[in-house]
Amino acid sequence: MRILALLFIVFILASLASALYYLIKDKGQSDRTVKMLTVRVVLSLTLFILLMGGYYFGFIPQNGLR
């Protein structure tokens, strides 16, 4: 579960970085920035739901991920 959470965080940061890149490169003329930010939000919500589900089903103990 720890590796899955770290992978999601890496993908979220990569999506955020690519949105910044598209914002600078396209100068606001295309919708690629919005699409990348939408991907980031979806990944963040998915990570949150996975963490809540992992805690509920006992994959994450009460003392957290160590």
Side-chain angles (χ1 to χ4, degrees), residues 2-59:
R2 180 184 322 161
I3 294 171
L4 183 66
L6 288 175
L7 280 175
F8 264 93
I9 291 172
V10 167
F11 288 140
I12 289 168
L13 291 175
S15 174
L16 189 61
S18 64
L20 178 64
Y21 173 75
Y22 289 139
L23 179 68
I24 292 170
K25 183 179 179 218
D26 296 341
K27 299 190 187 325
Q29 299 299 321
S30 75
D31 60 344
R32 291 193 292 183
T33 302
V34 175
K35 288 180 183 178
M36 287 283 90
L37 290 175
T38 303
V39 168
R40 184 189 65 85
V41 169
V42 169
L43 285 172
S44 298
L45 286 174
T46 304
L47 176 61
F48 179 74
I49 291 169
L50 283 174
L51 288 175
M52 296 303 288
Y55 181 78
Y56 179 77
F57 290 114
F59 296 124

